[in-house]
DNA sequence: TTGCCCCTTTGAATCGTTTCAGAAATACGA
DNA sequence: TCGTATTTCTGAAACGATTCAAAGGGGCAA
């Protein structure tokens, strides 16, 4: 049995297709008696509007595409939740796609969304915004980069002042008397990493503290754990570790606890980045640089729909101080 | 400027629209010289196929809708990754939507996907499969429940034998000499929870061990931590805790460590469920009941596309033994 | 009764693709 | 050279919604 169409509904209700369409889209233009009759017919036939046909004629969809670097990362998950929420308020819907850091997959999803003529595209690109993306914008698809600032005028963007974030973290550490600081991240070439490190370096230099870039195998818990284990094998260990995200910091914390020789925060202070949900519930609650993930998602959607008047929104990160950098705590220590 | 259509491409290349369509869909039916001419025209005009029109005519899309309970839960994230992968191999694409446990949101997404005439729907429903879902199936939309077995013949399903999983966990605990076991979960009314508990109880009774259902506020780290803190305030504490998922177990572990009086696993053994990525990297690596998240996602997609000949696939969970239930370990203990 | 206005309803045209029956071109054997 | 297969190409019809100019009909004042 073929799915019911407006034509079927119209026949059943004894009206024309135009009227059915109006019941669907402009209910107040239809006399209430007619409207009810049509609605009854819709219910009886189990009519479901064919979105393809609607879109073909209307020329625009009510769907926003969101391509994420990694849907499993709590930060991006939160960002997506914010975007969905905001979109819902504007009667749009967000469809998620996870590129898993794979450029080909990213491209597949961009293609798909463009063919679907989405209202707009939100994307945290794998590498530098690709030619494919520029093309998209050239064809008039509203595009907003999230968690990435756009150099050019090409894209809108909703990002965070990561230089400031890096500075905040290290200023806090030196204010607590720390002098030998390790900065942990995977690839110094990544924009976000580079910015955070630049801010950190500025603060360290201003205070005359040491700052060393320590490379990890990935921005994950395991990466943090492995890098920290290496660090602890040295003769002189840092008295503070600043991680480029909370997953890394979680791994470092685990390595410190397993090692057992150093207390957090007494012997080593630890700062993360993002303030993901798990940061506050770590064994030693993590001091971290908070980025407003949900708000970033919301804003990006608002920009896309043209309700925000700025082309680039840059959020100020803020320092959230917790036990992992406290100066005098017996309780919050992880080892004895 | 209007986006280029097949008509435009056809004019430019000096062929008919039918030929352009063939270049797009049946390239081998077109002479190579012609094909190249058309492809050149496509590139010059920046033609992008309008998916709405294609779908309208073809009647089917190449998109699979996946509605998840909580995209932020690593288990579901992994399941989604598996589904995406499998779909890609069949030239389909998965679009994710997160219901966040909200039935209205779930319904919105079901509506959207039905209007989009998706190839099929994968869903981990919020409550019991709703009337809305039955309707969907009645209209011929292939639907597969994930992480939920389907009683009726209505839906396909890819699930796990949770009774068996519960039994495995408790059998392991009693074999290790544990006698007072607490089972932690949020809502005993949830199917998954009920099954796991039933299996646990069977094993406990067979061994003559005590088993108590302890209710948590939610299936999260915080929920586990709070419930464990309560438990530790009692006079007699359990010598083993079995959690309905790894997030709960992580929370319990944290509470035990902060409390400091009990060692894991010497004084209290701990078992989780799911084997999420973080389980092996917890402070005390977690013994847990592994569910093949990725494989479940893959299988669900395969069933949807009719490549699997079974209507219901039930996976056997397996026990992964790690330090949190070891019998003789000095090293892996969390407190000293 | 007539004329005018406003509220409803109508239905053909339209969006951009795919499909498919048949035309055109080409190849090939006799 | 002719007839027949085979390959390639054509273009109108169809998919199912929305749109919009125009028609229908009721109410009301003159």
């Amino acid at each position: 049995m073929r799915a019911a169409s407006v034509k079927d509904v119209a026949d059943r209700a004894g009206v024309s297709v135009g009227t059915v369409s109006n019941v669907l889209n402009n209910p107040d233009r239809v006399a209430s008696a007619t409207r009810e009759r049509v609605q009854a017919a819709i219910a009886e036939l189990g009519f479901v509007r064919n979105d393809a046909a609607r879109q073909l004629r209307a020329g625009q969809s009510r769907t926003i595409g969101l391509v994420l670097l990694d849907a499993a990362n709590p930060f991006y998950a939160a960002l997506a939740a914010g975007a969905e929420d905001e979109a819902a308020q504007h009667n749009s819907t967000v469809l998620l796609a996870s590129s898993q850091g794979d450029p080909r997959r990213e491209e597949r999803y961009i293609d798909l969304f463009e063919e679907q003529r989405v209202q707009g595209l939100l994307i945290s690109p794998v590498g530098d915004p690709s030619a494919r993306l520029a093309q998209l914008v050239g064809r008039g698809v509203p595009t907003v980069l999230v968690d990435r600032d756009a150099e050019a005028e090409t894209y809108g963007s909703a990002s965070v002042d990561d230089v400031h974030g890096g500075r905040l973290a290290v200023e806090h550490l030196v204010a607590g008397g720390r002098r030998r600081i390790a900065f942990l991240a995977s690839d110094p070439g990544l924009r976000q990493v580079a910015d955070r490190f630049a801010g950190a370096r500025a603060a360290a230099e201003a205070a005359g503290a040491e700052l060393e870039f320590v490379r990890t195998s990935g921005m994950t818990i395991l990466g943090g754990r492995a890098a920290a284990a290496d660090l602890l094998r040295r003769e002189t260990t840092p008295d503070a570790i600043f991680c480029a995200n909370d997953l890394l910091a979680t791994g470092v914390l685990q390595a410190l606890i397993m090692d057992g020789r150093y207390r957090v925060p007494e012997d080593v202070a630890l700062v993360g980045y993002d303030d993901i949900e798990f940061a506050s519930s770590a064994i030693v609650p993590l001091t971290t640089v908070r980025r407003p993930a949900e708000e970033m998602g919301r804003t990006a959607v608002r920009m896309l729909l043209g309700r925000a008047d700025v082309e680039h929104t840059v959020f100020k990160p803020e320092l959230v101080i917790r036990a992992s950098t406290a100066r005098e705590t017996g309780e919050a220590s992880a080892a004895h």
Side-chain angles (χ1 to χ4, degrees), chain A:
Chain A
M1 193 198 67
R2 222 183 70 271
S5 72
V6 276
K7 182 72 175 34
D8 300 323
V9 173
D11 289 351
R12 173 84 156 211
V15 298
S16 75
V17 293
T19 301
V20 175
S21 177
N22 274 331
V23 170
L24 258 28
N25 305 297
N26 312 86
D28 42 324
R29 262 190 232 159
V30 180
S32 61
T34 315
R35 197 190 315 140
E36 278 159 28
R37 205 144 31 89
V38 172
Q39 276 159 346
I42 288 176
E44 285 162 25
L45 296 174
F47 167 77
V48 175
R49 187 209 268 107
N50 183 324
D51 193 54
R54 180 243 278 273
Q55 221 176 282
L56 175 58
R57 182 60 238 241
Q60 250 241 336
S61 82
R62 306 222 45 89
T63 293
I64 294 170
L66 171 53
V67 182
L68 292 176
L69 213 47
D70 176 16
N73 182 322
F75 172 75
Y76 286 115
L79 190 151
E84 286 180 329
D85 227 62
E86 181 70 27
Q89 286 183 25
H90 298 300
N91 207 25
S92 286
T93 325
V94 171
L95 290 181
L96 245 66
S98 180
S99 65
Q100 321 265 36
D102 176 354
R104 283 181 322 176
R105 201 165 217 157
E106 174 179 293
E107 189 151 333
R108 264 178 65 103
Y109 281 118
I110 296 178
D111 287 347
L112 176 70
F113 284 135
E114 186 175 14
E115 289 193 358
Q116 292 199 350
R117 302 290 192 269
V118 290
Q119 263 187 301
L121 192 70
L122 261 41
I123 181 171
S124 58
V126 172
D128 277 323
S130 64
R132 180 71 190 77
L133 213 51
Q135 210 176 33
L136 196 76
V137 173
R139 297 205 194 100
V141 181
T143 301
V144 173
L145 304 188
V146 289
D147 186 27
R148 183 65 87 89
D149 64 337
E151 326 67 27
E153 310 262 303
T154 330
Y155 325 96
S157 70
S159 61
V160 166
D161 183 348
D162 281 331
V163 176
H164 185 61
R167 193 183 302 120
L168 282 178
V170 171
E171 277 173 356
H172 171 62
L173 287 173
V174 297
R178 315 289 172 170
R179 281 293 169 267
R180 299 185 312 283
I181 306 174
F183 175 83
L184 263 63
S186 59
D187 183 359
L190 285 179
R191 165 61 71 98
Q192 290 97 332
V193 169
D195 285 357
R196 286 164 212 182
F197 186 61
R201 196 174 39 206
E205 278 171 6
E210 287 175 36
L211 180 73
E212 183 192 355
F213 191 111
V214 175
R215 193 151 179 174
T216 66
S217 57
M219 303 277 272
T220 62
I221 293 184
L222 286 177
R225 199 147 69 148
D230 283 350
L231 264 183
L232 296 180
R233 248 176 249 124
R234 298 186 184 173
E235 286 190 15
T236 349
T237 54
D239 58 10
I241 302 179
F242 172 31
C243 299
N245 79 19
D246 285 343
L247 295 179
L248 285 175
T250 304
V252 169
L253 190 55
Q254 291 179 358
L256 286 167
I257 286 169
M258 308 232 36
D259 182 274
R261 288 178 297 164
Y262 305 94
R263 293 165 301 168
V264 176
E266 289 85 346
D267 304 315
V268 185
L270 188 56
V271 178
Y273 208 96
D274 282 352
D275 195 21
I276 62 176
E277 204 198 341
F278 303 136
S280 61
S281 67
I283 321 110
V284 179
L286 273 181
T287 291
T288 188
V289 176
R290 174 170 149 69
R291 299 196 291 163
E294 266 203 38
E295 189 56 28
M296 286 171 73
R298 275 181 201 290
T299 303
V301 168
R302 233 177 281 131
M303 291 172 68
L304 205 57
L305 301 179
R307 317 252 174 171
D309 38 355
V310 262
E311 266 267 294
H312 300 269
T313 308
V314 178
F315 289 91
K316 281 276 175 222
E318 38 180 277
L319 189 70
V320 179
I321 299 175
R322 299 208 181 90
S324 72
T325 59
R327 294 185 84 171
E328 305 280 328
T329 47
E331 268 192 22
S333 75
H336 311 266

